[in-house]
Amino acid sequence: MLFHHVTKPIEHITNQSGLGGANDDDVAQGLTHVVENTQPSQGGSDVMLGIHAPAHSHLPFLHKFVPQLENLANKYHVGNYVIDRKTGQKFFESMPIYARLGMHLLFCGKEQVKLLEGNKHIEDLLREQSIREGKIYDSPESVKNIPSFINTYQLSLDELLKSDIRDYKTFNEFFFRKLKPGARPVEHADDPNSFCSAADCRLVVYPTVDLARKFWIKGDEFSIPALLNLDPSDPMCLNFDGGSLAIFRLAPADYHRFHSPADATVHGKPTDIPGQYYTVNPQAVNEAKLDVLSRNKRSVLYLDHTLSGKTIAFVAIGALLVGSIVWTAEENAAVKRGDELGYFAYGGSTIVAIFPRDVIAFDEDLVRHSAPINSDGTGAVETLVKVGSSLGRWNKA
């Protein structure tokens, strides 16, 4: 999580913005080199010399491939605003360099790029680099990156179940670290009508799916059937007609285990859906040309809400450089708000929770932040929350 004082315009990514004129093949080469630089033998164990660097960083080895990055760094800040729910303060959060390169290839580039090993489709390149990053961070050598990662994101070790970093055998083990019991208390724990945040994340909520499509998920192809990979006539899809939506976006620095937002029973086994490895940065989700959420690799777990008896869809979505989605909740298990459901291996990632009509009334402040403030429908802001933070209450309508 990198916060910056904004002194320059914020880039709105188009063909003519900060990387305008960049050669797509060179951008692809740059992405592969940034990934390789996460190896301690390449990047010297400094995570800021690889994928964790903000998009406006000055990285000479990368600028050799993409000199337009110098223009990007000089002219723009790259990222988005977030509101800290605890303090009410709005701050700017920089986009990581790997996400910016991936967005250029996805939205501004051509269908194929030329690399040393031959031509590749963009989707194949992003998938291969995501798998490669997972292998790097599963290697024993990757533990050398942990101290730099902690310092870069100013992580507190006091809340970790294992606070001695020598207890982690790979970087990924640290990435999906566990917290001490009680580190994320559930708000309104004694009120069974309440719902809570499923993750440490940046959150937007919409009382209807139509509002989510209007103000946040701009992809022309987005729909609940597409996200769940079901036929529109499937009874499970019909369950969500007129339903509500919460989107929990996890940044690389976040605690990456996810938890139940409701008192519920796990409904069968998760359903894995193959897909792409596109970035889920807000500018990508807000892009009208492509729906990244229903195109990405994802896994769906259904939860039967205890009080209403209705089924909630909990969709864990992978992203660029995300290694895997792992479920830890057992089939047909009863779960309480805040109970662990699973975790993501390395990378930023997203959860979408879909609630049937009249199951949840989201908290007013979350709804307000998620609504546009500009006449053109822009200006919605994510809210920074922790696992267990209040999400809303059972509507009982």
Side-chain angles (χ1 to χ4, degrees):
M1 193 186 311
L2 295 168
F3 308 145
H4 291 277
H5 178 60
V6 176
T7 57
K8 293 173 284 193
I10 297 173
E11 183 195 30
H12 177 67
I13 298 172
T14 68
N15 283 315
Q16 305 303 318
S17 60
L19 292 186
N23 181 281
D24 299 337
D25 300 337
D26 292 339
V27 173
Q29 291 279 12
L31 177 61
T32 62
H33 277 74
V34 167
V35 169
E36 290 304 315
N37 231 43
T38 58
Q39 295 186 84
S41 60
Q42 300 290 323
S45 304
D46 184 352
V47 299
M48 289 293 284
L49 296 180
I51 59 175
H52 297 278
H56 56 265
S57 297
H58 293 270
L59 299 176
F61 82 92
L62 184 56
H63 289 196
K64 179 179 67 173
F65 293 99
V66 191
Q68 290 80 5
L69 284 167
E70 189 75 29
N71 175 62
L72 180 74
N74 290 335
K75 291 180 63 175
Y76 297 105
H77 286 292
V78 186
N80 56 285
Y81 283 105
V82 178
I83 292 178
D84 187 327
R85 191 181 201 183
K86 188 174 182 180
T87 65
Q89 297 297 308
K90 182 189 283 191
F91 62 88
F92 184 77
E93 191 171 52
S94 292
M95 185 187 298
I97 188 70
Y98 75 85
R100 181 62 185 87
L101 295 174
M103 286 189 68
H104 176 85
L105 293 171
L106 188 58
F107 296 117
C108 305
K110 55 194 179 185
E111 187 173 335
Q112 289 190 342
V113 289
K114 185 176 181 180
L115 298 170
L116 292 177
E117 61 270 32
N119 290 346
K120 288 186 184 296
H121 282 276
I122 295 298
E123 288 84 358
D124 294 335
L125 171 69
L126 300 181
R127 180 183 300 107
E128 288 176 7
Q129 292 308 304
S130 297
I131 294 170
R132 174 61 180 152
E133 190 60 67
K135 290 181 177 179
I136 290 173
Y137 277 153
D138 278 336
S139 70
E141 184 193 24
S142 65
V143 296
K144 296 177 182 178
N145 283 328
I146 295 175
S148 174
F149 185 80
I150 292 169
N151 292 334
T152 295
Y153 295 109
Q154 300 178 341
L155 303 181
S156 170
L157 300 182
D158 294 340
E159 65 181 11
L160 303 190
L161 186 62
K162 296 193 296 186
S163 58
D164 188 342
I165 63 174
R166 293 173 296 182
D167 290 337
Y168 300 94
K169 305 308 178 186
T170 67
F171 181 89
N172 245 339
E173 280 191 13
F174 180 80
F175 184 76
F176 49 74
R177 55 201 177 271
K178 288 188 174 184
L179 303 182
K180 292 176 181 176
R184 294 291 185 272
V186 174
E187 271 193 87
H188 314 305
D190 296 332
D191 181 359
N193 296 303
S194 295
F195 295 86
C196 73
S197 173
D200 284 13
C201 63
R202 295 115 191 85
L203 172 66
V204 289
V205 300
Y206 293 99
T208 70
V209 174
D210 286 344
L211 286 175
R213 293 189 63 183
K214 183 177 180 180
F215 298 140
W216 195 256
I217 310 172
K218 302 293 181 64
D220 296 334
E221 302 170 354
F222 178 81
S223 69
I224 296 304
L227 182 65
L228 300 179
N229 199 35
L230 295 174
D231 188 274
S233 63
D234 190 292
M236 187 60 79
C237 281
L238 299 177
N239 173 63
F240 298 114
D241 279 354
S244 307
L245 203 101
I247 304 173
F248 310 84
R249 181 176 66 89
L250 290 72
D254 289 327
Y255 164 66
H256 259 66
R257 291 179 180 262
F258 43 81
H259 299 250
S260 178
D263 295 341
T265 301
V266 175
H267 184 118
K269 296 180 179 180
T271 302
D272 294 333
I273 303 171
Q276 304 302 332
Y277 290 79
Y278 301 150
T279 175
V280 291
N281 185 273
Q283 284 211 41
V285 177
N286 297 162
E287 170 61 47
K289 298 177 184 177
L290 178 66
D291 169 37
V292 299
L293 297 181
S294 62
R295 292 284 297 274
N296 272 16
K297 170 185 174 180
R298 57 204 184 278
S299 188
V300 184
L301 186 71
Y302 294 102
L303 301 169
D304 294 333
H305 182 223
T306 301
L307 286 186
S308 70
K310 296 183 178 181
T311 301
I312 300 165
F314 190 97
V315 188
I317 303 174
L320 180 59
L321 304 191
V322 170
S324 57
I325 301 165
V326 179
W327 296 99
T328 57
E330 296 183 1
E331 183 180 359
N332 301 322
V335 293
K336 293 289 187 181
R337 279 162 290 142
D339 285 355
E340 183 184 305
L341 296 179
Y343 62 86
F344 293 103
Y346 181 75
S349 33
T350 289
I351 297 155
V352 176
I354 313 168
F355 301 87
R357 183 198 296 266
D358 296 331
V359 166
I360 188 170
F362 291 120
D363 288 348
E364 185 276 333
D365 65 321
L366 300 177
V367 174
R368 186 176 69 254
H369 296 163
S370 304
I373 59 174
N374 301 322
S375 58
D376 62 356
T378 62
V381 180
E382 297 167 306
T383 304
L384 184 69
V385 299
K386 299 286 189 183
V387 171
S389 179
S390 177
L391 182 66
R393 290 175 55 80
W394 181 28
N395 215 0
K396 292 191 284 188

